[in-house]
């Protein structure tokens, strides 16, 4: 009877001790990376060596009981944590996130360079994915690339992002905020502006050009109207940012647009081809898309940036346009 009592006491004591140790909280202010491919034992050893947990073997025992996969990433521990707390945080994948910002007018090349600069993902890896038409199809989208589908926003991203995981994050915002306008645009009668119907993708292309053409919100519907007027008259759009985009796609952009660039042959160069470019040329704000939905009806076909660069000056004919250029671009 005494042996049974001692055995029972031993079990109870061990269980109580384990419970106490597993729940004992350490005050922490640490950051640690859990790399992909590490075993539970290696993770426990890493945590112990960095003084995040009391004992690696206790961590291993608890992990074997819970049987939940542990997720790689950078984890930040600030405050009081027990072994159980640490395990649960890693099992839930509560990684330390950083904000990555896409600003209006960023194109896929700009985005890729920022991603690489911020050590999120390599530029080439991202570009290979987002300019692959088959990947666009996988998401049920239109176009040869994801250009125009990644809205301006600050996104929470982790250490181990992939091109696909980033694309999913960006598209969540697009689907949530931008797709609301798809039916409105495709059901609208544009006969007074261009043709009776335009597709949502055409609207995206126009919105991207508007985004690049003006930073003045009030001008956007007027510029939308100018684009429609030129399209209806079968005039070339002659929008400088489309030339810049064409040059960037072939790594020929040097930061300054010259006369020789205007004749650069590309389906994106609206000085050389009629109609719209094949895809959007950048990410665009909702206000640019709304301008396509509600363009201003005018007789304007031309515009030029004012001398003080605060607005655009619009004109109905080429003669007046030349006069405006002479007065404002000197």
């Amino acid at each position: 009877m005494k042996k049974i009592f001692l055995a029972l006491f031993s079990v109870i004591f061990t269980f109580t001790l384990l419970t106490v140790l597993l729940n004992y909280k350490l005050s922490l202010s640490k950051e640690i990376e859990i790399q992909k491919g590490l075993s539970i034992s290696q993770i426990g050893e890493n945590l112990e060596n960095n003084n995040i947990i009391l004992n690696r073997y206790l961590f291993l025992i608890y992990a074997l009981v819970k049987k939940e996969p542990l997720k790689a990433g950078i984890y930040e521990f600030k405050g009081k944590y027990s072994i159980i707390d640490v395990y649960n945080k890693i099992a839930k994948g509560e990684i330390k996130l950083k904000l990555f910002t896409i600003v209006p007018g960023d194109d896929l090349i700009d985005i890729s360079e920022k991603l690489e600069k911020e050590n999120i993902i390599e530029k080439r890896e991202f570009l290979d994915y987002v300019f692959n038409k088959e990947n666009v199809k996988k998401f049920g989208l239109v176009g040869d690339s994801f250009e125009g589908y990644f809205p301006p926003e600050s996104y929470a991203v982790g250490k181990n992002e992939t091109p696909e995981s980033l694309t999913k994050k960006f598209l969540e915002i697009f689907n949530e905020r931008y797709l609301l306008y798809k039916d409105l645009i495709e059901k609208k009668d544009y006969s007074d502006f261009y043709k009776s119907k335009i597709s949502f993708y055409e609207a995206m292309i126009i919105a991207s050009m508007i985004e690049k053409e003006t930073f003045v919100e009030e001008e956007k519907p007027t510029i939308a109207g100018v684009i429609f007027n030129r399209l209806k008259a079968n005039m070339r759009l002659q929008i400088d940012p489309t030339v810049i985009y064409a040059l960037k796609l072939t790594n020929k952009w040097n930061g300054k647009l010259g006369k020789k660039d205007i004749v650069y042959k590309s389906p994106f160069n609206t000085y050389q081809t009629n109609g719209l470019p094949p895809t959007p040329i950048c990410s665009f704000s909702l206000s640019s898309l709304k301008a396509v939905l509600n363009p201003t009806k005018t007789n304007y076909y031309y515009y030029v940036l004012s001398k003080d660069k605060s607005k655009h000056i619009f004109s109905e004919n080429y003669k007046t346009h030349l006069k405006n250029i002479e007065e404002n671009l000197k």
Side-chain angles (χ1 to χ4, degrees), residues 222-285:
T222 305
I223 288 181
V226 172
I227 291 173
F228 280 126
N229 286 344
R230 293 182 76 90
L231 288 170
K232 190 170 186 177
N234 201 31
M235 296 170 64
R236 289 180 179 173
L237 296 178
Q238 298 186 335
I239 290 176
D240 289 357
T242 65
V243 185
I244 294 170
Y245 188 73
L247 294 168
K248 290 177 79 171
L249 287 177
T250 51
N251 203 29
K252 288 182 169 61
W253 173 238
N254 62 8
K256 188 174 181 180
L257 195 64
K259 290 182 178 180
K260 61 180 178 58
D261 298 318
I262 300 300
V263 297
Y264 182 70
K265 289 187 178 181
S266 167
F268 285 94
N269 184 349
T270 55
Y271 279 89
Q272 297 299 313
T273 59
N274 289 344
L276 298 173
T279 74
I281 60 170
C282 67
S283 300
F284 50 88
S285 55

Side-chain angles (χ1 to χ4, degrees), residues 213-216 219 304-313 328-330:
E213 285 292 82
T214 184
F215 54 86
V216 182
E219 288 184 348
V304 65
L305 191 63
S306 64
K307 186 178 290 187
D308 63 3
K309 294 180 171 51
S310 65
K311 62 181 180 179
H312 283 89
I313 299 170
N328 290 278
L329 294 187
K330 277 188 174 182

Side-chain angles (χ1 to χ4, degrees), residues 215 320 322:
F215 54 86
T320 305
L322 288 176

Side-chain angles (χ1 to χ4, degrees), residues 211 214-221 285 287-288:
E211 190 66 53
T214 184
F215 54 86
V216 182
E217 294 293 312
E218 295 77 12
E219 288 184 348
K220 289 184 175 183
S285 55
S287 61
S288 294

Side-chain angles (χ1 to χ4, degrees), residues 27-121:
S27 293
L28 302 173
S29 181
K30 295 229 175 197
E31 188 176 289
I32 190 171
E33 180 177 2
I34 305 298
Q35 296 178 338
K36 283 183 179 179
L38 293 183
S39 66
I40 294 173
S41 178
Q42 289 171 319
I43 293 173
E45 181 181 359
N46 194 7
L47 292 168
E48 183 185 77
N49 290 340
N50 283 278
N51 298 314
I52 292 172
I53 59 173
L54 280 172
N55 184 279
R56 72 184 78 172
Y57 300 109
L58 289 173
F59 182 85
L60 180 59
I61 290 169
Y62 188 75
L64 292 174
V65 172
K66 296 295 289 184
K67 296 180 180 178
E68 294 180 33
L70 300 181
K71 299 176 176 63
I74 292 178
Y75 292 86
E76 185 177 41
F77 297 93
K78 281 191 175 180
K80 292 188 174 183
Y81 291 84
S82 68
I83 288 176
I84 293 175
D85 296 332
V86 171
Y87 176 88
N88 288 338
K89 186 178 181 73
I90 299 172
K92 291 176 182 176
E94 296 176 353
I95 59 175
K96 181 184 179 182
L97 299 175
K98 63 190 295 186
L99 287 180
F100 174 74
T101 302
I102 297 174
V103 300
D106 274 352
D107 57 46
L108 291 176
I109 297 167
D110 298 327
I111 294 169
S112 72
E113 290 172 349
K114 289 164 72 172
L115 286 167
E116 184 169 86
K117 185 177 180 181
E118 295 182 31
N119 297 314
I120 297 169
I121 198 169

